[in-house]
Every structure is written in C-alpha cells, then in structure tokens.
Amino acid sequence: MRPFELSTPATLEAAMDTGGTFLAGGTTLVDLMKLDVLTPRRITDINALPLYGIDTGDGLRIGALERMSEVAAHPGVYPMISRALLLSASQQLRNMASIGGNLLQRTRCGYFRDVTMPCNKRDPGSGCSAIGGANRMHAILGSSRHCVATHASDVAVPLVALDAQLRLRGAEGERTVRLADFYRLPGDTPEVENVLRQGELITEVIVPRLDWAAWSTYVKVRDRQSYEFALCSAAVALDVAGGVIVDARVAVGGVATAPWRLAGVEAALRGEPVARASFEAAAAIAGHGTEPLSQNGFKVSLVKRTIVRALLELTEGGSR
C-alpha cells in the first residue's frame, strides 16, 4: 500500500472540500489499495458525517453510512432487501460495510484486481483479458467488447427491483437519481461505472413505499454457501389476488454488468395464475438478449431457473 494523507471532516461541507477519496467501512477500498489497483493520495474518512438513520414512515430511507448488518436487522426493511444483505459477505464484513459503499463496490473480476493483466476498467485501452480468458463468473447481459465484468453488489438487485433512488451531495448541491439510472453499462468507457460527479457523495437511499413488497424474497446461487459472490441471484416480489398475479417485481444479479431489472418477465407474470408453469413461461424471457462467453453459457439457463426458484420459494413458503 502506498502512502496517503488522511482527513476526518465533521461536516458534509468540509468533506466536499478535501478532494480526497471517500472512506466508509473500507471493505472494498482498502483491499484494492493493498493490491495497488487503487492508489489514492488523499483519503477522506466520512464516518463522522451525519449520514445515519433508517426511516420507515413513508417508504424506506436509509442513511448511506448505515452498516449492512443494521439495515438487515431492521423490522421495517422489505424481506428482499434484508435477505440480500444477509447473504452478502461475512458477518464481520456486514458489520463494517456501509450501504452507500456496498452500492459503489468495484467488480470482483480477477483481471481487474491483478495489475499485471490488461483491463479496460482499470487501465482504459489496455484490453479485456476476460473475453478470451477465464470468464466463467462473467456477464451474459449488458456487456461490450471492452468489458464483461459483473456487478458485485447483492443489495443493489432488490433496490433496483423496488425502483430505489439515491440522494447525492456534491459541491454543486444535492440531486436525486434512480438507482437503475445511476449505473452505467461498459459500452466504450468501462472505466466510467456510474454517474457520480467528481467529489460527489451518496448520502441516502430512498425506496418508494410499496406495501405488497412485504411479500418478497432474494435467492442467491453461488459455488459455496459461505462468503461468496453470486453466479446468479434473483430478487422477486408479487402482488397476488385470488390466486392471480396482479403485479410483480423481478431483478437479477451475478449475470450482468449492472443490477438487471427484467421488465419483460414482470409483464409476463401479470394476469397469470400462481403456478410453476406461469413462472417458467415468464422466466424464459430472461434469456432474451444474452451473450454468453466461452465458459459461462450455463448462466443462460441458470438465470431462468433462479427466477423460478425464487418465485416458488416465495409462493410455496409464504402466505398471503
């Protein structure tokens, strides 16, 4: 790890003036600094800033510095969010990692984390080693010829499904952005991962009120049950009346370059009976537009099966 200057501002205004890289839990930043993937000269510790609190009065508002474990344990948090957090990382990491930091975590692509290998996300124009290399874990949706790395966040998946927004604060003031619009697909500029401006900070996560999202779940498929990133995940919520699906929310992770909401699957579920056949027919749409690589073609069928599994777990294991 290279030398750096550290500041600990007590106000948002002071934090905006430091020009440093923001540090919350540090569970991603410190790792990447140790590997020389990131080499910031100034670090701004933001843990003293007033960015805490969970409010469930009308919808859900989560301060960006709230720790993952605290949010997961809160009784007013939708099940799909709580479960995604509990299936993320280890207990120790969940106690340290912040919600805002989790949404900003960098990809776990091994080539991005290995400074001896070409990676357009880390070194624009150097090439994407994964396209012709080890790509079993990589994306089948939203990729480009410059990058095929998946997005790592679990909780971003249900948040996108629930149409969450982010409150951002920078030198030019505050603005609110939909989480689905916050992330950028790699295209020709994979190094630009989101719409954050220089020196801007996530201050709050806002989830609109959706009463029927109380009937929701999150399923994560991974190589081992202990701490591991997703091969595929699915966040689902259903609004059901008289055995018929009135509305649905479906998003997937582990298979795309950003958290991926499946509007087509949602539309296919509406008006259909709560039954496995309905789930399988809707989930088949998830395979549209996929672009598998040499080693991850199994994800095309896995994403469909994961959606069906989540819908079955929700409808067979819960009550309405």
Side-chain angles (χ1 to χ4, degrees):
M1 185 182 292
R2 303 186 188 187
F4 59 87
E5 299 175 7
L6 178 67
S7 61
T8 55
T11 67
L12 279 166
E13 292 74 15
M16 298 296 107
D17 291 338
T18 63
T21 297
F22 296 125
L23 170 73
T27 56
T28 293
L29 176 61
V30 174
D31 276 354
L32 295 179
M33 289 174 65
K34 290 178 179 177
L35 295 170
D36 272 351
V37 174
L38 298 178
T39 56
R41 297 176 61 183
R42 294 190 182 91
I43 301 291
T44 303
D45 185 337
I46 61 173
N47 286 287
L49 301 184
L51 303 179
Y52 295 89
I54 304 173
D55 184 355
T56 58
D58 184 20
L60 175 64
R61 304 176 80 95
I62 306 169
L65 286 177
E66 282 291 336
R67 268 34 186 182
M68 293 168 61
S69 55
E70 293 294 325
V71 178
H74 196 282
V77 171
Y78 296 123
M80 65 199 310
I81 296 176
S82 179
R83 185 165 174 79
L85 289 167
L86 291 173
L87 291 173
S88 301
S90 64
Q91 180 65 56
Q92 295 92 333
L93 287 172
R94 293 196 299 270
N95 288 341
M96 283 295 297
S98 68
I99 287 294
N102 181 276
L103 296 176
L104 287 173
Q105 68 180 295
R106 308 299 296 275
T107 181
R108 297 292 164 161
C109 172
Y111 297 111
F112 171 74
R113 297 169 67 86
D114 183 351
V115 295
T116 68
M117 298 297 295
C119 170
N120 287 321
K121 190 177 287 290
R122 189 188 65 248
D123 183 15
S126 63
C128 176
S129 298
I131 290 177
N135 52 44
R136 177 176 176 270
M137 296 289 291
H138 288 68
I140 58 172
L141 288 164
S143 59
S144 76
R145 62 189 179 91
H146 298 288
C147 182
V148 294
T150 54
H151 193 270
S153 174
D154 281 289
V155 75
V157 178
L159 288 175
V160 163
L162 292 168
D163 208 22
Q165 300 174 319
L166 299 182
R167 181 71 57 80
L168 309 177
R169 173 72 178 270
E172 299 176 1
E174 287 189 337
R175 62 187 179 120
T176 301
V177 177
R178 290 177 64 241
L179 184 59
D181 298 327
F182 177 76
Y183 295 115
R184 290 184 52 169
L185 300 184
D188 294 333
T189 55
E191 73 279 8
V192 182
E193 298 179 344
N194 54 60
V195 300
L196 272 180
R197 298 166 183 163
Q198 181 66 33
E200 206 166 34
L201 182 68
I202 298 174
T203 61
E204 188 177 41
V205 179
I206 305 166
V207 183
R209 182 172 178 174
L210 189 68
D211 291 338
W212 53 269
W215 205 41
S216 62
T217 194
Y218 179 79
V219 166
K220 181 177 182 177
V221 178
R222 46 192 170 174
D223 284 327
R224 59 185 184 189
Q225 283 299 102
S226 59
Y227 173 29
E228 181 62 282
F229 292 91
L231 282 171
C232 181
S233 65
V236 301
L238 291 178
D239 182 14
V240 174
V244 175
I245 300 168
V246 177
D247 207 348
R249 296 291 178 90
V250 181
V252 292
V255 293
T257 54
W260 204 263
R261 187 169 172 183
L262 292 166
V265 175
E266 295 173 354
L269 287 168
R270 295 186 191 109
E272 296 298 321
V274 175
R276 185 184 191 108
S278 302
F279 301 159
E280 289 178 345
I285 297 172
H288 295 176
T290 54
E291 296 183 1
L293 301 163
S294 59
Q295 298 170 14
N296 69 356
F298 69 95
K299 286 192 175 187
V300 178
S301 60
L302 181 61
V303 68
K304 302 173 191 176
R305 296 198 307 270
T306 304
I307 293 168
V308 172
R309 175 179 160 188
L311 290 166
L312 287 172
E313 286 189 11
L314 181 62
T315 54
E316 295 178 355
S319 60
R320 188 63 190 262

